[in-house]
Amino acid sequence: MLGLIIFGILLISGAYKLLRARKADGGAGRRRWASRADGLAAVALGFAPAERLDTDNGSPLLPADTAALAAVRAGDWQAGAAWADAAGQNWDERIRRVRELAEPAAEDDAWLLAWRAARPQDPTAAAVHADASVLVAWNVRGSLSAKNTTQEQFRNFHRLIAASQEAMHEAQRLADPADPVPYMLEQPVAMALGYSHERYGQLWAQIVERDPKVLAAHTGALQYWCRKWRGSHEEAEAFARRSAAGAPGELLSLLPLYAYLEYEMSESELDPSVYYKRPEIVAATDAALADVAAADPADRRVTRVRHMLAWNLYWQDRYTEAVEQFRAVDGHIGATPWTYAADAKARYVQARDFSVRRAVTQK
């Protein structure tokens, strides 16, 4: 769901319109092209055909996820509550489940209202309500560009986003004192409303006081510090480097990769086949590779890093290594960097098929 919110913020800021115009070819088509033969070679080696790629999810949903979400849509809030609470103090997993529940709640909240009525002090229900309220605001605003959005839509959007802050504060009040998730849920609101650096710093302090190593919190903060929001390239890269250095082995090595991508996407004159070979980017790629190799394969966060590694290794001409990452994520591509293009599928297939063919010919 965060992806939908970020997409909406990009629209309202005009940033997505810029990316669409510059990356109409899927992003990866600049200065190198995959042929039809490349695509056939990839499929012959077991990679998914383009038409079978899932652009909504970055990794497969587990059977427990599918069962819980189906039960919730059928009105069984107890199943949703149990599923979310089963994440325990794995905060990255807890926020993922809260956000998965918020999406159907934004469409039909009857089950959530029943949950809140039965358990008015339930912190999980309050968190789902808070996150759903943000998505409702974006639904009211719509997905059109600013010039095609009415003033009434804008007024209602700002009214609902402001009201969502009250829901956030209630969720924060009800939460376990150790739980950073309700504060993390406020991060997209901070971008939408343009929190000052001081105000965002206060929010960030609440998060890291509870847990300084949550990947989802750091990737959310990186967005805030990007130039397209409230920061600059220098601030974003500095934040990313501090995050990665401060928590070795926690997959925060993903942060510099995101920061470098943000810079590349915003600079139309950059040649990515040169840019991604900069020594500092190669070093950051190697650090992320080491983190992934040492991580628990069952850790869902690893997939997020693999998607970015595939992209970087592709541009660094490290095709055999890139193919290892593509094989690990293939089939589910609803993740950065593919979703940063107007056509995520085209961007992914271009990079994957080109890498596969070159890896085969290099052997």
Side-chain angles (χ1 to χ4, degrees):
M1 178 182 154
L2 180 60
L4 294 175
I5 294 173
I6 296 296
F7 180 83
I9 300 173
L10 283 165
L11 282 170
I12 202 171
S13 71
Y16 184 74
K17 182 179 179 182
L18 173 64
L19 296 183
R20 254 182 102 93
R22 286 189 49 242
K23 312 295 181 179
D25 65 353
R30 293 177 292 162
R31 303 174 180 86
R32 57 174 71 185
W33 300 92
S35 67
R36 183 171 181 273
D38 293 338
L40 293 174
V43 173
L45 289 171
F47 288 90
E51 62 272 15
R52 283 177 37 205
L53 293 171
D54 176 358
T55 57
D56 293 326
N57 301 292
S59 58
L61 289 177
L62 300 176
D65 301 342
T66 304
L69 294 171
V72 160
R73 287 189 171 90
D76 183 1
W77 63 262
Q78 291 97 331
W83 176 64
D85 289 341
Q89 292 194 340
N90 180 338
W91 306 125
D92 275 299
E93 184 63 16
R94 179 169 173 80
I95 195 168
R96 183 186 75 84
R97 296 186 187 196
V98 166
R99 284 179 165 147
E100 290 282 1
L101 290 171
E103 190 166 352
E107 299 168 0
D108 180 356
D109 65 355
W111 61 271
L112 178 57
L113 292 175
W115 184 0
R116 302 224 67 192
R119 300 179 185 172
Q121 301 300 307
D122 190 322
T124 305
V128 173
H129 173 215
D131 205 40
S133 70
V134 177
L135 187 53
V136 167
W138 284 110
N139 288 343
V140 168
R141 184 214 178 271
S143 60
L144 297 178
S145 62
K147 70 177 182 179
N148 293 315
T149 302
T150 68
Q151 288 302 308
E152 181 179 3
Q153 285 175 299
F154 277 126
R155 282 194 298 270
N156 286 333
F157 168 74
H158 285 290
R159 175 178 58 81
L160 290 169
I161 279 287
S164 75
Q165 288 181 298
E166 297 179 15
M168 296 287 173
H169 295 156
E170 180 190 22
Q172 291 161 7
R173 178 178 59 81
L174 292 175
D176 184 306
D179 185 358
V181 167
Y183 299 91
M184 293 163 62
L185 294 174
E186 193 175 339
Q187 290 178 291
V189 177
M191 287 187 287
L193 296 181
Y195 282 15
S196 68
H197 289 186
E198 180 182 4
R199 185 174 182 184
Y200 191 83
Q202 293 168 352
L203 174 63
W204 184 243
Q206 294 287 349
I207 294 170
V208 297
E209 177 185 337
R210 288 160 173 80
D211 192 327
K213 300 178 181 179
V214 184
L215 181 59
H218 284 264
T219 55
L222 180 65
Q223 285 295 311
Y224 174 87
W225 289 113
C226 285
R227 188 176 68 178
K228 66 188 179 188
W229 300 125
R230 300 291 293 180
S232 65
H233 292 318
E234 294 75 17
E235 287 170 309
E237 289 186 15
F239 174 80
R241 287 193 295 270
R242 287 195 306 272
S243 296
E250 294 290 338
L251 296 174
L252 294 186
S253 53
L254 174 63
L255 271 290
L257 305 189
Y258 273 6
Y260 294 131
L261 173 70
E262 290 286 350
Y263 182 78
E264 185 262 313
M265 290 291 291
S266 68
E267 300 295 326
S268 60
E269 299 307 312
L270 278 180
D271 180 347
S273 65
V274 175
Y275 170 74
Y276 283 104
K277 294 185 180 75
R278 290 181 179 180
E280 66 272 21
I281 303 181
V282 173
T285 303
D286 289 340
L289 279 167
D291 264 4
V292 165
D296 179 353
D299 187 337
R300 294 177 66 94
R301 301 175 304 164
V302 171
T303 302
R304 297 184 65 184
V305 189
R306 288 190 184 279
H307 282 286
M308 277 302 305
L309 282 171
W311 175 253
N312 279 32
L313 293 165
Y314 158 69
W315 283 115
Q316 292 168 11
D317 303 338
R318 298 163 67 177
Y319 301 119
T320 299
E321 293 172 277
V323 169
E324 291 179 12
Q325 305 305 320
F326 280 118
R327 192 170 290 284
V329 303
D330 197 52
H332 299 82
I333 63 169
T336 309
W338 325 117
T339 53
Y340 267 36
D343 188 339
K345 188 176 293 187
R347 166 177 276 202
Y348 176 83
V349 169
Q350 158 64 38
R352 183 199 68 184
D353 293 358
F354 190 95
S355 297
V356 168
R357 187 63 177 265
R358 297 316 175 275
V360 169
T361 58
Q362 286 178 354
K363 290 183 178 180

